[in-house]
Structures are given as C-alpha cells and as structure tokens.
Amino acid sequence: MKVLGHRIELLTGLLLHDVTMAGLQELRFPEEKPLLRGQDAAELENSDTFLLAVDTDWKEHDIETPYGLLHVVIRGSPKGNRPAILTYHDVGLNHKLCFNTFFNFEDMQEITKHFVVCHVDAPGQQVGASQFPQGYQFPSMEQLAAMLPSVVQHFGFKYVIGIGVGAGAYVLAKFALIYPDLVEGLVLMNIDPNGKGWIDWAATKLSGLTSTLPDTVLSHLFSQEELVNSTELVQSYRQQIGNVVNQANLQLFWNIYNSRRDLDINRPGTVPNAKTLRCPVMLVVGDNAPAEDGVVECNSKLDPSTTTFLKMADSGGLPQVTQPGKLTEAFKYFLQGMGYIAYLKDRRLSGGAVPSASMTRLARSRTASLTSASSVDGSRPQACTHSESSEGLGQVNHTMEVSC
C-alpha cells in the first residue's frame, strides 16, 4: 500500500510539475459548455437553483463584530491546522446567489469536503434580511475587512483560504493586507483595485437616475454582450436581485463599494516600502467581463512569484456560475501549488475515476522532495514564494499567466 500511495503521490506531483512549468504559456482546460442556454439555464429561473444547498449540514450564525452583526453559514468544524475556505460575495448578491452553483459542482464538493467552508454575507445582504433603520451607516470597505477577524476568532480558525468575487474580492484583499498572518491564499475574481474617479462617480450617479437598481448592478456583474443578448442567466439574476436581496440595504452596499479607495498595493521593487499581498493569489476574470481591466491592473501590482492570472473564455462576468468545472480544476491546481494534494476524480491520471481519499498537505520547505508528504493537520509550512525543486524534476516556476 505504501508503494501504491507513493506512486499516486508522484503522479500527482508530476501533473503539478507539468502545469507549473507552463510558465507564461497558455493552459487549456477541457471545454465545458457555458451555462447560458437550454434546460440548465431555464432552471435558473427557479430560485431554488440558487438558494438550496445540496446538503443540509450548513449552520447559520450571526456574529458580533466591531461594526455590527455578520451573517455567516458554515459547514464542518476546524481540524488541527487545516485552513478554512472563507468566501465573500459581490455587491448585488449574497453567498447563495454568488457561490451555490460553484460549491454544488460535484468536483468542487470532492475538494471542499476536506475543509471547513464558511460563507460570509455582507451586512443586510442575506436572504430575509431586515431593512436597516433610517440613518444607518453602512460599514466602509475597510471596516468590512476589519469585521472578518471576529469570524475567524469565533470559529477558532488558524487561517483561511479566501474566495471572493468583485466587492468581496476587494474586501478579502484588504483583509489580507491588514491581517496577513490569517490568510494562507486568495482566489480573487473580478477584483478592481482602483477607487472610483470623479468621472466614474458621475456616471454611476447618472445610471442610478435612469436605471433601476437591479439593472445598474447587472452592468457591474455581466459583460455587455451578455446584457445585450439578455441571456436567460441575466434575466434570472435580474429577478433574483430584485426579489431576494433587500433593495434599501443593497443600495447602501452599492454606494459604499463605489466610494472605495485604491487598494494601495504595488509590486515589490517598484516603489519604496511597497505593500502587496504576501500569500499566493489566483486572479480570475472572464473574457470581456466588466472587471477585466481592473484584474489585469491588479495582476501588474502583485508579486509575480506568487500570483497566477487566469483569464477564462466563454465565461462572461460570472465564471463561477457559467464555468464551475474550469474554475474547480484551476482551484485544485492552486491548492496543489500551495502544497495540498487532492486525490480526486481525475481521468487524466488513471483513465478513469480515482477513488476519493483525502486532502493532504506536503510539509515542505521551498526546496523539498515530493516524498516528504505529511498530514494536513501538521504544522503550517510556508507557502512556496519563488521556485522549488523536486527530486528529479528540476526548477518549478509558480508564476503563471494562463487563459482557458
């Protein structure tokens, strides 16, 4: 059994080596038809598609923070030093509208069942939220980030792997800048690191006068092509945003997001005392998405030795909804790059399904052998930040700019 386990581990390591050695070359994932037409898209019109989780193990909590209550749902309990996966949704959505399709995807469940998963809803954005009283001051983007340590402390997490979209990606990036020791890795989709200028501010105000709030938010979430074609997905989200999310609370969140400041990050070496994200980061954006320029700029400001940039074709503005399979595969590689090895269903490894066993952690320094595997519950090793060598494999570069 030890020999068999070693062979599986070695094969997994070789696969990771092949991916990471791609460097700046194009990485193609198997094609998956976007969730835009046909029966699946029609089913999105039913709110149950968004709002019901596959399993019933989720527990709801309202957590006290320095800036008010946070609604959180969690599945599982902390185990040793294993990180939790913590998500934060985009403006106009909540954790269900933003992440249910992605986290209910079969291959993603194979990964997440080995972690605690914690979904955070921005104040007043959860399903059934009461309207804030007149004069309520919605927390700033910096304050939203400062609320998250209360969540980490409440559940006893040692550190988290964050997955954020849009406004949620900005919040998680800010959180990682302020509390770097609490964040082991980040997946940031559709992040815009820039504050709004006067022209953008005026355009947003004008849009608010001529369009309904759901339509204004849709222009933030979806590409122009999707909006012009008025796909079933866009129509469904227009209905859900208008009916599921409290509109007064949403307006407050929308206003705060559009008054955000620059994220204040710079690539190391470009300016004195540059601030940047210290953990591994995977940036994700769909082609022609509204946030494409912002994500590209964010990529230019991060450390290239710890950053992966994934531009996804045929995914529109919400890749976690339209292409959950591609995103799951990219997330698996991202975890492997941090030293987590997933024994998952992978036809390319075996010609069939590999029995799901466990998610383990390679306890290794920046240069170590693939045979030095240990339990994920062991001490927390440092993430690889430059390059690492594996026995017989040579140098592996963790910097990738890929498209699929």
Side-chain angles (χ1 to χ4, degrees), residues 32-285:
E32 178 182 342
K33 187 175 181 180
L35 188 58
L36 298 178
R37 298 181 176 84
Q39 181 179 359
D40 290 338
E43 289 175 356
L44 288 174
E45 297 178 2
N46 187 333
S47 63
D48 289 347
T49 303
F50 289 114
L51 303 182
L52 291 182
V54 167
D55 59 77
T56 58
D57 296 333
W58 297 95
K59 296 181 180 179
E60 298 188 52
H61 299 263
D62 290 312
I63 298 174
E64 288 279 359
T65 80
Y67 302 101
L69 287 176
L70 265 186
H71 179 263
V72 172
V73 296
I74 186 171
R75 183 187 65 196
S77 57
K79 298 178 181 179
N81 285 335
R82 188 178 305 185
I85 294 176
L86 185 144
T87 75
Y88 212 114
H89 60 86
D90 202 354
V91 64
L93 309 176
N94 50 49
H95 81 271
K96 294 183 177 181
L97 292 174
C98 192
F99 291 113
N100 260 19
T101 300
F102 181 40
F103 278 82
N104 288 347
F105 190 74
E106 181 181 3
D107 289 348
M108 186 63 177
Q109 289 185 348
E110 288 291 327
I111 296 174
T112 59
K113 70 182 182 182
H114 303 293
F115 295 89
V116 179
V117 178
C118 179
H119 294 302
V120 177
D121 285 315
Q125 310 304 301
Q126 70 270 23
V127 177
S130 300
Q131 184 169 318
F132 289 125
Q134 189 74 23
Y136 171 79
Q137 181 60 50
F138 198 90
S140 67
M141 298 299 287
E142 291 75 13
Q143 290 171 336
L144 290 175
M147 298 170 82
L148 294 179
S150 298
V151 177
V152 174
Q153 183 179 16
H154 180 86
F155 294 112
F157 301 151
K158 295 295 195 314
Y159 31 85
V160 302
I161 297 171
I163 302 178
V165 180
Y170 183 101
V171 170
L172 288 181
K174 199 72 176 178
F175 172 54
L177 288 170
I178 303 172
Y179 307 97
D181 292 338
L182 296 181
V183 182
E184 180 158 344
L186 288 174
V187 177
L188 303 177
M189 291 178 263
N190 299 339
I191 185 172
D192 188 345
N194 301 315
K196 289 281 188 179
W198 284 106
I199 296 178
D200 294 326
W201 179 85
T204 299
K205 287 293 184 182
L206 180 62
S207 176
L209 295 174
T210 59
S211 304
T212 64
L213 181 57
D215 283 335
T216 301
V217 172
L218 285 174
S219 66
H220 162 76
L221 297 175
F222 291 99
S223 67
Q224 281 299 311
E225 180 181 358
E226 290 171 298
L227 293 174
V228 169
N229 293 336
S230 190
T231 64
E232 293 95 332
L233 189 64
V234 171
Q235 295 177 36
S236 180
Y237 266 89
R238 179 183 287 111
Q239 177 186 357
Q240 299 300 325
I241 293 169
N243 296 336
V244 174
V245 184
N246 183 286
Q247 297 298 284
N249 296 353
L250 171 55
Q251 184 70 67
L252 294 175
F253 189 15
W254 177 250
N255 293 342
I256 286 296
Y257 178 64
N258 285 296
S259 62
R260 68 190 182 278
R261 301 174 180 176
D262 289 349
L263 196 53
D264 191 24
I265 54 175
N266 290 282
R267 178 165 291 183
T270 58
V271 299
N273 302 317
K275 294 181 180 178
T276 193
L277 297 172
R278 287 163 40 184
C279 62
V281 178
M282 181 169 74
L283 299 174
V284 182
V285 69

Side-chain angles (χ1 to χ4, degrees), residues 24-29 31 187-190 223 282-297 299 307-317 319-320 322-323 326-327 330 400-404:
L24 298 181
Q25 297 177 6
E26 184 178 15
L27 175 64
R28 296 184 179 274
F29 291 102
E31 276 301 315
V187 177
L188 303 177
M189 291 178 263
N190 299 339
S223 67
M282 181 169 74
L283 299 174
V284 182
V285 69
D287 57 342
N288 300 319
E292 183 176 358
D293 291 343
V295 178
V296 170
E297 182 169 351
N299 182 55
T307 303
T308 301
F309 179 31
L310 178 65
K311 184 177 178 181
M312 300 182 65
D314 301 323
S315 63
Q320 78 278 14
T322 58
Q323 298 286 6
K326 288 182 180 180
L327 187 58
M400 293 191 297
E401 183 171 350
V402 299
S403 61
C404 57

